[in-house]
Amino acid sequence: MTSPFTKTGKTSSWPLLAKSFAALSLTTLAASIPASAQDHDRDADIHFYPGNLVVSRSVYDNNPNNVKVGALLPPNCANTTVPCVAATNDGTFPFVFNNVLADGSFGITSKVYLDQITPFGFLLDSLEVPNSSQRNIRSESNQLVTSFSSKSEEALNLSTDGKLLTFVDYVAPVNTIDVSNSNTPGVIDPTNPVGVAYYRAVATVNRSGKFTFTETNAYSGNNGRAAIFNNTNGASFFYTSGNAGNGSNPQPNGVILGAGAQIIDPANAPESFQNPGAPTPVASFSVTLLGDKADKIGKDDNFRGLTVFNNVLYFTKGSGGNGVNTVYFVDTTGTACPNGVGVPAVGATLPISPLAYDPTKLQTSGLPSNMCILAGFPTALAKTANPLAFPFGIWFANADTLYVADEGDGFASDTTLYTHAAAQTSAGIQKWIFNASTKTWSRAYTLQTGLELGVPYTVNKYPTGTNSATSLPWSPATDGVRNLTGKITDDGKVTLYAITSTVSGSGDQGADPNRLVAVTDDLSNTDAAKVAKEKFTILRKADFAEVLRGVSFTPGTRPDHDRW
C-alpha cells in the first residue's frame, strides 16, 4: 500500500545552509533538484532522486482527547501484575508527555513522513507512510506508525545495493497509547505492565515511493531502532537493531531471543496475511568475554545504531545500565577477538543465517557470543565507566576513518541541565582513525563547534518558562547527535548530516522539537587543534509537535555516488 507525496508548503524552518556551503555553485544545486518540470513524462514514476537526503519526521496529532485526565495507565493494566496509575495530563502537546512521570511506559503513536530535501536544506516533498488516519486505510490495510517520544526510533539506512530505504516501526493505529513498550503478539511477557500487544515491522521504500512491510515478534516490550536490507550476492534478509523487555527478571525466552541484533526474512504478503514466528537473533555479546561478571541475560544486547561496511556488520550500544556502551562488530570467522576485543578478520563475510543456540541454556547463560568490541573503543562497563560514552549512529568514510554520533548523557535532573550539556567533551560527532600498525582505532577529535550544546532555544507555540511537573525549564537544548550519514566531496572533504538529541524540562525529552544539522570535515585531518573552524550549520528545525529521527541519502543513490 502506498501513499502519494504531498508538498508541505513550509519554508520558515528550512533556512539556507550558510557560509560553509555558500561557495557551491547554483549549477550543482540545480542538479540535485528533481527534473520533473522538464522530464515529467520520463520520470513520472520516480519520487526520490539520487543525491538528495531523506529525513524521517513524525507529527503528533495534538488532540486533547487522546488522553483523559484520570484515565488508567498503562492500557489494560487491570489485567497485568502492576498497579494502574492515573493520567495526569490530557492529550495536549507537549503537556501530554508529562504522563511518563506517572507511567514509565507512556507514549503515543504518530504519523511518519519521509521528507526529501537537497543536501543544502531545500525541502522538495514529503511521503506519508501509510497509517490509520488516512482515508483509504482500513484496519486490515498495510500501515506503520512510530511512538512520537521514542527518541531511539526511525533510523534510516540504504540497502546494501542502495536501491531501498529501510526503517523499523509498529503495526498499530495512530494515537495508540504505550505501544513502544507493549509485547509483541508472539512473545508475551506476563510481567509487562503494558497489557496490549502489537507487531513491530521492517519497512522498505524504493525510489518510486512504494512500500513493503515485514512483521516480526522481535523487540517485545521495547523497540526496534534500525534496519538494513542485505539484498546483494544472492542475499535477501534484514539486519535489525533494538532492545527487548519491559517486565521483571527472569525474562521469557522470546524476549531474550528478540533483543539486540536480528536477522529477518522479508515477507511478500500484506500485513494482514503475515504470521511471524519466533524472533531470530543474528548476534549477541556478553561482558563475560571481557572477564566481567555476567549481566542480566539479554541486556548486554541493547543495541542502537548499525551499519554495513566492507562485508562486516557493525552495531552500537549507548543506553541501559548493563553491558558496555561502545562499537561492536559481528565476527563470522570466530577468530577475530578471542577475548572480546579485536578488528574484523581479513576476508570476513556478512552473516547469512540466525545465530545457533541451545534453548535449554537461554535462562542460565543466554545466547552464545559472536560479537567483538572494535579495538580501541571503550571496554568499561556502563555502570562503572568514567566518562561514559553514548554512541548511536556510525558512518565509515573509508576503511581508516569512522565517524560516530554520540547523543550525550541526557542529564536533566536539576537546573544545571544546560551547563552540564555544554560541558560534555564526547557529545557530537567523533572522528576515529585506524592505525594499521597497532590494529586499533583511536579518537582524533569530536566535532562540536556550532552544535550549540546546552544552549536553550525557542520553538513557535512551544511553552516557555518552567514545566510545573518537573520544576525545570521547558526550552530544549542540544545534548548531542543520534543518527548520521555523510558524503566525500571532490576536494577531500567529508560533509556529515546528523539529527540532534536534546535535554529539557519536558516530562519526556524524546518529544522535544530537535534539529537536522550539517558539518564539513577535512578527511585527512587528525589534528584536534585544526577543527575549531569546522562549524555545524542548522539545516532544519522541527516545528511544534514535530520530531526528526533519521537521515539517509535517497534510495537509488548509487554506492559510488559520493561526489556532488
Side-chain angles (χ1 to χ4, degrees), residues 93-386:
F93 181 81
F95 305 93
V96 60
F97 293 103
N98 282 335
N99 283 307
V100 77
L101 302 174
D103 169 17
S105 300
F106 188 79
I108 300 182
T109 56
S110 53
K111 304 175 186 178
V112 178
Y113 293 87
L114 302 179
D115 294 333
Q116 181 177 201
I117 67 175
T118 71
F120 314 98
F122 291 97
L123 174 65
L124 299 175
D125 43 35
S126 296
L127 176 62
E128 185 174 356
V129 178
N131 64 80
S132 63
S133 72
Q134 294 173 310
R135 189 172 300 176
N136 61 329
I137 300 295
R138 300 182 298 275
S139 60
E140 68 273 16
S141 301
N142 285 342
Q143 54 191 291
L144 212 62
V145 292
T146 191
S147 178
F148 182 83
S149 58
S150 294
K151 58 189 178 181
S152 60
E153 296 173 9
E154 285 291 299
L156 299 176
N157 288 288
L158 289 174
S159 57
T160 53
D161 71 352
K163 295 180 179 180
L164 296 170
L165 197 66
T166 55
F167 57 98
V168 186
D169 266 316
Y170 308 93
V171 182
V174 172
N175 294 333
T176 306
I177 296 175
D178 289 6
V179 169
S180 62
N181 282 123
S182 67
N183 292 315
T184 53
V187 179
I188 301 297
D189 182 351
T191 67
N192 186 345
V194 181
V196 291
Y198 295 93
Y199 288 118
R200 282 57 170 161
V202 184
T204 72
V205 60
N206 66 11
R207 64 182 305 189
S208 298
K210 181 180 179 181
F211 288 98
T212 70
F213 302 104
T214 298
E215 295 179 334
T216 177
N217 279 305
Y219 309 121
S220 182
N222 214 287
N223 61 350
R225 293 162 177 170
I228 293 177
F229 188 32
N230 182 355
N231 60 347
T232 54
N233 299 320
S236 180
F237 39 77
F238 299 102
Y239 302 122
T240 64
S241 68
N243 189 31
N246 192 44
S248 59
N249 200 29
Q251 300 177 118
N253 284 357
V255 172
I256 297 171
L257 291 174
Q262 299 284 309
I263 186 170
I264 302 171
D265 290 330
N268 297 316
E271 287 177 352
S272 60
F273 288 90
Q274 295 180 35
N275 186 27
T280 48
V282 71
S284 182
F285 183 84
S286 171
V287 296
T288 58
L289 292 178
L290 306 173
D292 295 311
K293 182 180 177 181
D295 276 330
K296 179 180 179 181
I297 292 174
K299 287 305 182 182
D300 292 353
D301 294 345
N302 182 357
F303 297 131
R304 292 205 163 198
L306 83 162
T307 195
V308 171
F309 183 76
N310 278 355
N311 283 327
V312 178
L313 182 59
Y314 294 86
F315 290 85
T316 62
K317 181 186 176 300
S319 62
N322 292 327
V324 179
N325 286 5
T326 195
V327 176
Y328 300 84
F329 67 94
V330 179
D331 176 25
T332 55
T333 67
T335 61
C337 45
N339 297 313
V341 179
V343 295
V346 176
T349 58
L350 285 166
I352 60 173
S353 59
L355 178 65
Y357 64 92
D358 184 345
T360 66
K361 295 182 178 180
L362 284 178
Q363 292 295 328
T364 55
S365 56
L367 292 165
S369 297
N370 65 336
M371 301 180 76
C372 316
I373 293 175
L374 195 57
F377 281 82
T379 58
L381 296 176
K383 60 188 69 175
T384 59
N386 186 20

Side-chain angles (χ1 to χ4, degrees), residues 32-55:
S32 68
I33 299 177
S36 56
Q38 62 267 35
D39 297 316
H40 178 75
D41 292 338
R42 184 184 66 190
D43 293 337
D45 62 339
I46 297 176
H47 293 296
F48 290 112
Y49 287 79
N52 288 324
L53 295 170
V54 182
V55 172

